[in-house]
Amino acid sequence: MSSRPRLVIFDVDGTLVDSQAHIMAAATRAFEGEGLATPARAAVLGCVGLSLPVLMARIAPEADAGLQARLIAGYRQGYGDLRAEGAEDLSPLYPGARDALDALAGRDDVLLAVATGKSRRGMAHLIAQHGLEGMFQSIQTADDHPSKPSPEMLRACLVETGVDARDATILGDTAFDMEMGRNAGVHALGVTWGYHDKNRLFQGGASEIIDDFTGVIPALERRWRLQ
């Protein structure tokens, strides 16, 4: 393996944490607060990873600008209220995620980062919830960048860590993550335990797909041995 540092960039919702219950509960509060039926679960979860305004435009395309704004505000309020009500267990780490993070963080030749559709506040809460302080050398959120699949979050990770795109991998569960990787010239590794199936991941540009967290480090090492 090269002595160059490697960068592993993680998506969050659907990749590191199983937040579907939290997402659906917040969406339900937002839509019910406006007297509307909540969109189908598959429609909501299929858009996870996009920035909230983009997600809301996709799941409620008939809503005018005013209603869109209220739904976005209602979702954010609902998400925060659920957290304040003690619903932290609505966003657990996926099995094996912590072990993989700890193993990668313990290596001198690997840096870790995050590229997420979450807000800065939401990501800060998640880090505190799971004791991940100091784990990531770069944290990029939807507050500071265009929505995926724009490459801007990944480019910011590369700049902050000083790693070349050829030495970086994005790990994600959606085609949006895979497309973001392709747009940034970053190797894209898809996972099946999140919100998009294998076909969508491959169509998005995944070079390989894994089925559980025990496969993450072997897949990365296979990639690194080829370089």
Side-chain angles (χ1 to χ4, degrees):
M1 185 188 298
S2 168
S3 60
R4 300 190 309 267
R6 310 295 184 172
L7 177 63
V8 183
I9 307 164
F10 289 88
D11 167 57
V12 177
D13 293 306
T15 300
L16 283 178
V17 298
D18 184 2
S19 50
Q20 58 184 310
H22 204 162
I23 290 167
M24 287 307 305
T28 297
R29 291 192 179 194
F31 279 84
E32 288 185 350
E34 294 295 326
L36 300 171
T38 305
R41 182 184 186 86
V44 176
L45 296 181
C47 293
V48 171
L50 298 172
S51 299
L52 184 55
V54 178
L55 180 151
M56 199 62 73
R58 290 199 181 190
I59 65 174
E62 72 290 345
D64 61 24
L67 179 54
Q68 286 275 344
R70 294 195 302 275
L71 287 169
I72 291 167
Y75 180 94
R76 287 176 172 148
Q77 183 68 45
Y79 204 94
D81 287 348
L82 286 159
R83 192 163 47 219
E85 291 163 13
E88 299 289 2
D89 58 348
L90 290 177
S91 293
L93 288 169
Y94 280 103
R98 185 59 193 246
D99 289 342
L101 287 171
D102 286 341
L104 289 167
R107 295 178 57 148
D108 293 334
D109 58 342
V110 174
L111 301 174
L112 302 181
V114 161
T116 177
K118 284 185 174 299
S119 65
R120 284 191 302 272
R121 181 181 179 186
M123 191 63 208
H125 277 289
L126 191 74
I127 286 173
Q129 174 188 346
H130 293 296
L132 298 174
E133 293 87 350
M135 181 71 72
F136 304 107
Q137 282 69 56
S138 181
I139 298 174
Q140 305 303 324
T141 72
D143 289 343
D144 304 307
H145 303 284
S147 179
K148 300 174 184 181
S150 165
E152 293 309 310
M153 281 196 279
L154 297 190
R155 288 174 177 165
C157 288
L158 297 173
V159 169
E160 283 199 1
T161 60
V163 175
D164 191 90
R166 62 179 172 161
D167 295 320
T169 297
I170 172 67
L171 191 81
D173 69 299
T174 70
F176 314 131
D177 299 310
M178 304 299 99
E179 292 165 8
M180 178 173 64
R182 183 173 58 196
N183 292 339
V186 167
H187 177 242
L189 183 61
V191 305
T192 60
W193 53 80
Y195 302 129
H196 287 182
D197 62 24
K198 287 185 177 181
N199 286 337
R200 289 193 68 181
L201 291 169
F202 277 129
Q203 289 168 4
S207 61
E208 184 177 351
I209 295 175
I210 56 177
D211 294 320
D212 61 65
F213 255 104
T214 62
V216 169
I217 293 176
L220 290 170
E221 289 180 335
R222 284 193 295 274
R223 165 71 176 175
W224 296 334
R225 282 195 297 270
L226 294 173
Q227 292 182 298

